[in-house]
Amino acid sequence: MRLSLAVLKRWGICLFLLGGLWGCSGQSAVSPETAYYPFSMEQDTLEMRDGVRLAVTYYRPAARTPGETFPVILEMLPYRKDDFFALGDYEYGSYFAKRGYVLARVDVRGTGASSGPIPVSEYSSAEIADAEELIDQLSRKSWSNGKVGMYGLSWSAFNSLMTAHRKPPALKAIIAAHGSTDLFYNDVHYIDGALHIDSYAHQIDTDNAMPQSPDYRIDEAYFKNRFDREPWIFTWLREQQDGEFWRKESVAFKDQPLEIPAYLIGGLLDGYRDFALDVSNTSKAPVIVEMGPWNHAWPEYGTPGPNYEWRQKALRWWDYWLKGIDTGILDEPARMAFMRTGHAPATDLETVPGYWRCDPQWPVEGSTRERLHPQSGQQLVSASPAQELAQTLQYRAGAGLAAGGWWGEQTGDMSPDDAHSLVYDSPPLTEAMEIMGMPQVRLKVAADAPFYQWTVRLEDVAPDGKVSLVSGAAINPAQRFSRLEPQALVPGKATTLNASIHFTTWRFKPGHRIRLAVSNAQFPMIWPSPTAGTTRLLMGTDTWVELPVVPVREQGTQACVMSEPQASDQAPFGQRLEGTDPVFNSVRNEATGDSTFTVDSNVSWSLYDNLYRSQESYRWDVNDAAPAKASYKGERRNVFTIKGREIDLATTARIQSDESYFHVTFTKVLKENGILVRERTWTERIPRRFQ
């Protein structure tokens, strides 16, 4: 799971009206509709099998006739519904409640307003068991029609998929945006099996330590259940290889495929986008998939656009599965993807050039695979070399800044990364080529040390020389034979690596060249491997990239059923005062070999007479000559002033590696009204294992 910067930008900081109920008239900023239900916001708790009480906010429509009942939509998150996420929750809770659905927003046990200790990690067995029990209890409420849906973006997409696999009887369908079926390869901790230190790990470990809302009581139960709990980042760093810890709830490794209908949403600039293809290829139940051009966000506001109002389609989906109304949703094309028709590198596009294409299935009719081989002279052609050729690459640990923090977000010109990569270009195209799917890559390599990492990037080189990133992938060579039994490289011995490049769409225009870039560094996305040295790429029959080519279509040749985004209802109980969007900055000094990547943000908001502030700063550093000594430092601080009482929680995290270990320190400092209440530091030396 990754706490989306796009979501934070969209929602700001989300607030909660303290108290048990907020009455809402159903007035809306969206286009008027005659059938809106008035609804109420109600606070409640539901008791789980072990006595833990989970906090729930109901957005509940008022019955128009005696005995009228409604389906329930469940969303379950640790992101504190009573303070951080309440404004955003309101946008979706009000939307569905006004249209005849109860939306139940629940804090995961041990977080937000829910009781109990913080779980051992994300998506624990206890969390998924709670979801099953919640579904059962919600289905038996007097105002429920007995049918439940589950939905969400990111974390709540993950647990929606996991819960659906358990098939609780009352769960009839899900909607999952930016989810995952494979927690080791397709989550935020080990991208493609390679270590990724994301600011999310620091954010969640800080926010998990905040007192329980709405009272924010600081007592021994709080210390035991939250403040004194070990940060999750230690657990994630101990689990450096695939195994039971990651696979226990990962849907990809279950004996049976998904059997609950699923509406799946992905983004071409989201690091989790492959999940939609995984589910749609294996599910036994109906699945519809939509893949847009945006980042980690919902389709009506994701950046860049074009956007559309997915909630209208969601209503037709819920009506079909939860109300038994034949809306025709299953009669429409089940696969929709935005075909990017190529654009210059840019980090600030509001709308991507391209068109929507709808198809009944993937791969689309008429699609082919085109295999291209690196050759001497930096060529990328359809024929493999007549004899095996070798090219050497000097490892530059700090290279990769141009691609950003993960395989997502918009990127500028990739030339700075390509300068420290092996690059191979096709001849200029004489006609347009469109691709849609997951390109495949095979590399035959050799190295001078037991461990390096490889990354591959598929790029578009324009006639003016500017380079756009199309997609990419990391490769951890220790997992080349088995993800469960990693093996070191044998220095000097050739081996073959295989990988899937993340799902993408792109039109390579006439006159443009297709580029394959091969590197050993993707900083800060992938933690640097420890040895300064060289690797070799052996060009021949076992080194190639294979593109999923689809027939070129022009905009408007195939209609997709979509509607313009609607403005959302704004919560009547809070406002953002000031703040900055996250600021990313990358600096590389070619003379010294130093590379630095930073992220900074701060925001403040109010709730009546209460004031809330949150600020954070994160930094990654590495030097080419000493790649083992990469480092990360993060600081996050939440200051909540509630009824004149100031709660100030600040955390600092440091990770410093060497050739054999990660040295990890995490400190929590809690103050109340400016007086130190408790400070605690965790420190551990964790052995490096093929990372």
Side-chain angles (χ1 to χ4, degrees), residues 233-470:
I233 196 169
F234 289 92
T235 299
W236 297 327
L237 275 168
R238 294 183 197 120
E239 299 289 343
Q240 293 171 35
Q241 298 302 321
D242 197 3
E244 177 62 17
F245 175 83
W246 301 107
R247 294 192 177 195
K248 188 171 185 179
E249 296 298 340
S250 291
V251 175
F253 301 101
K254 302 299 183 182
D255 293 334
Q256 298 295 324
L258 198 68
E259 296 182 6
I260 298 291
Y263 174 4
L264 309 175
I265 297 171
L268 296 169
L269 296 185
D270 180 76
Y272 303 151
R273 55 191 177 269
D274 301 342
F275 93 101
L277 206 62
D278 296 339
V279 175
S280 64
N281 285 341
T282 59
S283 177
K284 288 186 177 180
V287 172
I288 59 176
V289 179
E290 297 172 0
M291 192 74 68
W294 45 74
N295 49 15
H296 200 65
W298 288 113
E300 89 276 14
Y301 70 91
T303 303
N307 303 109
Y308 62 91
E309 187 49 74
W310 70 277
R311 290 172 294 189
Q312 287 191 0
K313 193 166 186 178
L315 282 172
R316 296 174 59 223
W317 176 259
W318 294 132
D319 285 350
Y320 185 91
W321 295 109
L322 304 185
K323 290 185 177 180
I325 301 171
D326 188 355
T327 60
I329 191 76
L330 298 186
D331 299 327
E332 299 169 5
R335 307 290 183 265
M336 184 176 83
F338 186 78
M339 176 58 67
R340 300 180 292 175
T341 51
H343 59 80
T347 59
D348 58 356
L349 285 178
E350 294 184 3
T351 302
V352 175
Y355 67 95
W356 294 98
R357 57 182 302 158
C358 293
D359 297 282
Q361 61 186 16
W362 291 339
V364 303
E365 183 179 357
S367 61
T368 59
R369 309 289 298 190
E370 180 159 344
R371 183 173 293 185
L372 301 173
H373 295 263
Q375 287 264 19
S376 60
Q378 297 183 313
Q379 299 179 81
L380 188 66
V381 297
S382 57
S384 63
Q387 60 183 16
E388 191 170 82
L389 306 170
Q391 190 169 2
T392 299
L393 177 64
Q394 185 75 31
Y395 173 40
R396 306 291 186 192
L401 290 164
W406 72 334
W407 296 119
E409 307 299 338
Q410 300 186 63
T411 53
D413 196 315
M414 298 303 296
S415 296
D417 286 4
D418 290 351
H420 299 290
S421 307
L422 302 178
V423 296
Y424 305 94
D425 293 348
S426 73
L429 299 183
T430 57
E431 58 184 26
M433 174 193 290
E434 288 187 355
I435 63 171
M436 184 173 75
M438 296 177 69
Q440 303 298 307
V441 66
R442 176 175 293 176
L443 307 177
K444 188 175 182 180
V445 300
D448 62 5
F451 185 70
Y452 283 96
Q453 295 181 114
W454 275 263
T455 63
V456 291
R457 298 184 303 276
L458 183 64
E459 299 170 346
D460 181 330
V461 184
D464 63 3
K466 293 181 179 179
V467 185
S468 300
L469 178 64
V470 177

Side-chain angles (χ1 to χ4, degrees), residues 32 37 45 53 62 88 116 137 152 181 192 202 207 224 228 280 289 308 316 351 472 528 602 639 656:
Y37 284 85
T45 61
R53 301 198 71 89
Q137 291 192 34
T181 63
D192 304 329
H202 194 149
D207 298 350
K224 177 182 177 182
D228 290 339
S280 64
V289 179
Y308 62 91
R316 296 174 59 223
T351 302
N602 66 81
V639 182
Q656 173 80 51

Side-chain angles (χ1 to χ4, degrees), residues 191-218:
I191 292 178
D192 304 329
L195 176 62
H196 170 74
I197 300 297
D198 196 276
S199 58
Y200 157 75
H202 194 149
Q203 292 167 357
I204 193 66
D205 277 332
T206 304
D207 298 350
N208 279 350
M210 291 294 292
Q212 183 176 352
S213 61
D215 298 328
Y216 301 91
R217 187 182 302 113
I218 296 175

Side-chain angles (χ1 to χ4, degrees), residues 64-136:
R64 290 176 176 153
T65 58
E68 183 179 12
T69 58
F70 304 96
V72 184
I73 304 169
L74 169 64
E75 183 178 26
M76 187 178 182
L77 285 165
Y79 298 142
R80 303 186 61 92
K81 65 182 180 62
D82 295 352
D83 37 57
F84 280 114
F85 261 51
L87 284 180
D89 290 345
Y90 186 91
E91 294 185 18
Y92 298 97
S94 62
Y95 186 94
F96 291 115
K98 286 164 53 177
R99 292 159 175 83
Y101 288 87
V102 177
L103 193 139
R105 168 62 167 89
V106 176
D107 280 337
V108 169
R109 61 169 53 217
T111 72
S114 292
S115 68
I118 296 171
V120 295
S121 187
E122 311 155 301
Y123 325 119
S124 65
S125 296
E127 176 184 335
I128 309 307
D130 285 346
E132 290 185 278
E133 190 161 350
L134 286 166
I135 288 167
D136 178 62

